[in-house]
Amino acid sequence: MTTRAKQSHMIPLPLLFLFKDEVSSKHFPATVEVKTRGRVLSLLDGGKVWMYGVQPGAIAASGNDRKEAEGAFRAAYKAVLLDLAEDATDLAAFKEQARGFFNQVCEPRLEEWWQAVGKVRQANYTEEGLRTRPANAPVSITIETLNVLALPPPQHSNTNEPDPSGADEVLLAA
Amino acid sequence: MATSGRIRMRKIKKMLKECAPGHTTKQTDHHLWVMYGKEKYPLPLGEHGKRDNSEIERGHVKQMVRLFKLNAERAEKILGFPISNDPPPDQETPLGEPSPHNSPN
């Protein structure tokens, strides 16, 4: 029997995300595209919905509902990338820092995440508007240089706004 | 006194001093990065307000304690709130049931 929920919030909810960011810095002459496929755990905590990073694990954000929390998490991740870009002495250093940040796994959360996957599977849980992806889908970060010319970065690249191309996605891990 | 759901940076620093000896910090425009062992956690600083004693949402501290694998019991005593986020049984929302935190539409 499938448990369906319309805009409800199962606690906790194992999620996968795909974010695409363009980052530039005065320290390196190119704009880079950072594509991140990560894991995050959504749950109610202290009266708010929290998105707790699993991998990357050093990140968290909250909202009054899951949509708001997702938006806050999205912005928080971009803010970290911008911080790393500003702090890096050159492009190679930024890549190392960004990969290092992504590779931090919050192991207690990872355990909770897989427990949540088990519950989702057991209940055949689905949610309207939330696509499903296999829980064992690979996580990764790729950092590609978009251009090496000394051109001004795209207008949106170093703002806290996510990529307007709509590449961002949050999916249910099942 | 911190607002509800938040904790003052001074208390966090006190906790880190006792539970994460040898940790270091680095402040950037928007974060206070806390480094401990091989891990580092960016505590978000507000755009406004006092940077020397910012208020940080408790969830960030919980996540940081987990990431650093600090002694949760010891951290809880100093911070004054539970680190474990397991909700009490009466707050859990069964699968498929609407929760008080539904999206607006």
Side-chain angles (χ1 to χ4, degrees), chain A residues 3 7-8 10 43-45 47-48 50 52-53 57-58 60 62 64-65 83 87 97 104 107 109 112 123, chain B residues 26 28 31 33 39-42 57 59-60 62-63 66-67 69 85 93 95-97 101-105:
Chain A
T3 305
Q7 295 293 342
S8 74
M10 175 196 137
L43 50 82
L44 263 182
D45 191 0
K48 296 189 87 172
W50 276 85
Y52 285 119
S62 69
N64 290 318
D65 55 46
D83 235 20
D87 199 50
Q97 289 293 318
Q104 290 187 119
E107 288 171 15
R109 292 290 183 206
E112 293 170 36
Chain B
K26 178 177 179 179
T28 58
H31 299 97
W33 288 82
E39 314 286 1
K40 54 184 183 180
Y41 192 94
E57 286 190 281
H60 289 291
K62 290 183 182 182
Q63 184 74 351
R66 275 174 168 75
L67 182 73
K69 294 180 184 149
N85 62 270
T93 299
L95 289 176
E97 295 291 323
H101 296 272
N102 284 355
S103 298
N105 51 354

Side-chain angles (χ1 to χ4, degrees), chain A residues 70-148:
Chain A
E70 280 179 15
F73 184 81
R74 180 67 187 93
Y77 187 67
K78 180 73 185 262
V80 166
L81 290 179
L82 293 179
D83 235 20
L84 294 176
E86 281 307 302
D87 199 50
T89 50
D90 55 33
L91 184 54
F94 168 70
K95 287 182 176 180
E96 188 185 336
Q97 289 293 318
R99 289 188 183 120
F101 181 79
F102 173 77
N103 286 328
Q104 290 187 119
V105 176
C106 187
E107 288 171 15
R109 292 290 183 206
L110 180 61
E111 206 174 301
E112 293 170 36
W113 191 88
W114 278 108
Q115 286 171 2
V117 168
K119 288 183 180 174
V120 164
R121 288 173 175 168
Q122 198 174 21
N124 277 327
Y125 180 80
T126 59
E127 188 174 303
E128 198 172 316
L130 185 62
R131 284 174 49 199
T132 301
R133 190 171 171 146
N136 60 359
V139 293
S140 64
I141 185 169
T142 58
I143 305 170
E144 290 179 12
T145 303
L146 289 183
N147 63 64
V148 293

Side-chain angles (χ1 to χ4, degrees), chain B residues 1-104:
Chain B
M1 190 170 164
T3 49
S4 175
R6 292 175 176 264
I7 185 162
R8 291 281 184 190
M9 185 66 83
R10 275 185 204 142
K11 205 166 231 186
I12 298 170
K13 288 181 176 176
K14 183 183 175 188
M15 182 277 293
L16 287 168
K17 192 175 174 185
E18 292 198 29
C19 300
H23 77 278
T24 56
T25 59
K26 178 177 179 179
Q27 185 161 322
T28 58
D29 278 348
H30 299 292
H31 299 97
L32 178 73
W33 288 82
V34 183
M35 280 72 73
Y36 182 62
K38 291 181 183 177
E39 314 286 1
K40 54 184 183 180
Y41 192 94
L43 291 171
L45 300 171
E47 285 188 23
H48 308 288
K50 296 178 184 177
R51 290 298 179 96
D52 62 338
N53 198 20
S54 303
E55 285 190 343
I56 306 292
E57 286 190 281
R58 291 178 178 183
H60 289 291
V61 184
K62 290 183 182 182
Q63 184 74 351
M64 184 175 66
V65 168
R66 275 174 168 75
L67 182 73
F68 291 170
K69 294 180 184 149
L70 305 183
N71 185 311
E73 201 179 314
R74 209 162 149 209
E76 282 176 12
K77 276 187 182 160
I78 299 166
L79 295 168
F81 62 83
I83 295 296
S84 166
N85 62 270
D86 293 342
D90 61 352
Q91 284 186 25
E92 279 193 2
T93 299
L95 289 176
E97 295 291 323
S99 85
H101 296 272
N102 284 355
S103 298

Side-chain angles (χ1 to χ4, degrees), chain A residues 2 20 27 39 113 133 138 155 173:
Chain A
T2 299
K20 193 167 84 169
H27 299 295
R39 290 183 175 137
W113 191 88
R133 190 171 171 146
Q155 199 65 24

Side-chain angles (χ1 to χ4, degrees), chain A residues 16-21 33-39 55-56 74 77 81 98 102 139-143 168-169:
Chain A
L16 297 159
F17 69 85
L18 166 61
F19 293 159
K20 193 167 84 169
D21 292 280
E33 182 182 82
V34 182
K35 275 188 198 167
T36 311
R37 294 179 182 276
R39 290 183 175 137
Q55 182 174 1
R74 180 67 187 93
Y77 187 67
L81 290 179
F102 173 77
V139 293
S140 64
I141 185 169
T142 58
I143 305 170
D168 296 345
E169 203 169 8

